[in-house]
Amino acid sequence: VLRGHEMRVNSVTFSPDGTRLASASADNTIRLWETRSRGQIAQDQRHAQKEMLRLTPLVETWIEKSDGDSELVIAMLDREAKDRAPKEVTTLRNLVLKKLVQQRQAKKAETTEPAAP
C-alpha cells in the first residue's frame, strides 16, 4: 500500500533499474518510493563507502601529479574511465569533483584571510 497520497493513485511506474517506484495521485502529488529494503539500501551504502575509500588514493595521486590543475585531472580521469566499470567511473567523477571543490575552497580561504600584522 502506498500511503501518503490524499486521493486515489492515478499511475505508477518503476525506474529502469527497478529500485524506485513513482506514483502520481489525483491530489496533484508525485511520490518516490524505494523498492529495496532498508537492509539492502544500507548494504549498498556500505559498498559505495568502501569503493570511495578504495579509489580516493588514486584521485589524490592525480591531484598531486597535476599540481591541482583541474584540466589535467579531468584528462587523467577520462583516460582511466575507459578501463573501468560505469559505477567506478561515477565514483571517480564524484571524488574528483569533491577534491577539486575542496582545493578551490582552500585557495579561496587563503586569499581572503587578512594578513598578519
Side-chain angles (χ1 to χ4, degrees), residues 56-67:
T56 294
L58 177 60
V59 172
E60 289 174 346
T61 300
W62 295 343
I63 300 284
E64 190 177 305
K65 283 183 178 181
S66 69
D67 200 27

Side-chain angles (χ1 to χ4, degrees), residues 27-51:
D27 64 7
N28 293 323
T29 62
I30 296 173
R31 295 193 178 264
L32 298 178
W33 312 86
E34 285 285 343
T35 60
R36 301 171 297 155
S37 70
R38 286 187 176 130
Q40 289 170 319
I41 294 168
Q43 182 179 1
D44 289 349
Q45 289 172 335
R46 284 190 300 273
H47 177 72
Q49 183 66 27
K50 285 180 184 177
E51 280 296 291

Side-chain angles (χ1 to χ4, degrees), residues 59 77-78 81 86 88-98:
V59 172
L77 170 63
D78 287 342
E88 281 185 313
V89 173
T90 300
T91 301
L92 284 167
R93 284 187 178 139
N94 288 337
L95 286 169
V96 164
L97 179 61
K98 179 181 177 181

Side-chain angles (χ1 to χ4, degrees), residues 82-108:
K82 295 174 185 173
D83 299 323
R84 299 272 182 172
K87 283 188 177 186
E88 281 185 313
V89 173
T90 300
T91 301
L92 284 167
R93 284 187 178 139
N94 288 337
L95 286 169
V96 164
L97 179 61
K98 179 181 177 181
K99 293 292 182 184
L100 291 174
V101 166
Q102 288 172 345
Q103 179 182 317
R104 178 175 281 171
Q105 289 172 340
K107 284 182 181 179
K108 186 176 180 180

